[in-house]
Amino acid sequence: MSQAPARRPSLRRRLLGFLLIPVTILLVLDILFTYGVALGYANHVHDRDLGNDALTLAKMMGSEQLSGELSPQARFLLQYDPNGDGYFSVVSRQRGLVAGNGQLPQAQRIPAMGAKPELFDTRMENHPLRAVTLTAPWNGHPGDVLVITVAETLSDRHAQARSILYLAILTQSLLIVCVLSLVWFGVNHGLRVLDPLTRRLARRNHELTPIGGPDVPQEILPLTRTIDALFARLRGMLALHDRFIADAAHQLRTPLTGLGLHVERALADPDPANVREALTHIRRLNQRAARTTAQLLALTRAQAPSTETVEHVPLDLARWVPEAVTQRVHDALAAGIDLGYQGPEQALSIHGHAASLHDLLDNLIDNCIRYAGRGSTVTVSLQARTDGGANLMVEDNGPGVPPELVPRLSERFFRAPGTSEEGSGLGLAIVQRIAERHRAEVIYRLAEEHGLCVEVRFPAPRRGHVAATQAEAPATR
């Protein structure tokens, strides 16, 4: 049973989720805050009115002669509550309850004569009340005072707070809708600034030129710069690809042409001596083509984008270089070359890629074997520097090169004029590229009499990447 395709992520849903959920939470918090403010305002207004009612009643009481009944005006003032019941009590300190419509609890602290009314919360018949009490003189009864308490339910206060809340919700909802509409319109209108960049990219075919320009908004500059950097890497890879094809065509044309000529010669003249001579030339040209192909591949690897963070590891040159030199002793003996090594016995570490460094040293030794001449001496030496780096030197006492040609030794396909030995002219170019990958410096020096010394100066290994010291293999000469 096939599974349903996974739901594609939506930027719109993600943005709406990030916006609507916080806005909803903020709206709920705002409703609670608004209701609290509105209730506080309603309590303030009602408390003020309740205190004024108590003061008004005190003035009315001062002009009446109470005998247990209140005037209709006073009773209407005390009992009027449009959303609930109003309660009151008038208590004489000498005679007790004079008038009232319920047993209102007394305040814990009775204000003194002439003091401001005292507001307090109380309950009666399980209903919360807000009450005010004050002390007033009782005309016609010297020495006696009245404690007047007036209370009301909280329903009117909550109703007023809800009215304010409903009005605030309506106003704020309209404001939020207007703000979201403006944001939606502003985002859509603001994103139109990307239209020139989109049209410019749509008109491209196979171009890898930078896409940045003066019309690119500042907010997407990091994106365009990243894309431009990607295009630059792609251009480098394509240029490397084209260069490899051009180099291969240039270097393989001659041996392939020679192979064809010698094959035709062998076919045209079946004499065994001529066929043997043709086959000898074919073998030589085949070896030359194989060598050139290997050099081209090595140069391509050396010029490829660096993978230093993945491939570079600590290497002990004092152990690794003698082993690499030993592998070329047989070739040196076949060419009549005295190949030897000189170096320290203690560990000498750098940070690098083993295969690339093997290509570097192999090309330096191969260059000496090919051009130094029979009977020459080639010495590979290793020295430690005081700054923690290492110097790798390959020196021969061959014919050398003219001083004016030394700066061109690292050029691709460059060969000194008058050289009879076959070669691709890529060896020292490979050495230069590999050294650059290892942040090393290549220096060419001519000997005092004759010969050439190539020195590669490696930087000190980074802290934390030094290989553990190992026993060094004995040097051979």
Side-chain angles (χ1 to χ4, degrees), residues 54 57-58 61 78 89-91 132-136 146-150:
L57 178 60
M61 299 298 295
L78 295 174
S89 67
V90 180
V91 179
V132 62
T133 185
L134 59 82
T135 303
L146 298 176
V147 177
I148 301 173
T149 304
V150 180

Side-chain angles (χ1 to χ4, degrees), residues 2 46 79 88-89 214 259 262 270 311 317-318 335 381 431 436 449:
S2 61
H46 279 259
Q79 291 182 331
F88 73 95
S89 67
L259 287 173
H262 289 292
E311 298 178 349
L317 293 182
S381 58
V431 170
E436 292 173 355
E449 297 182 358

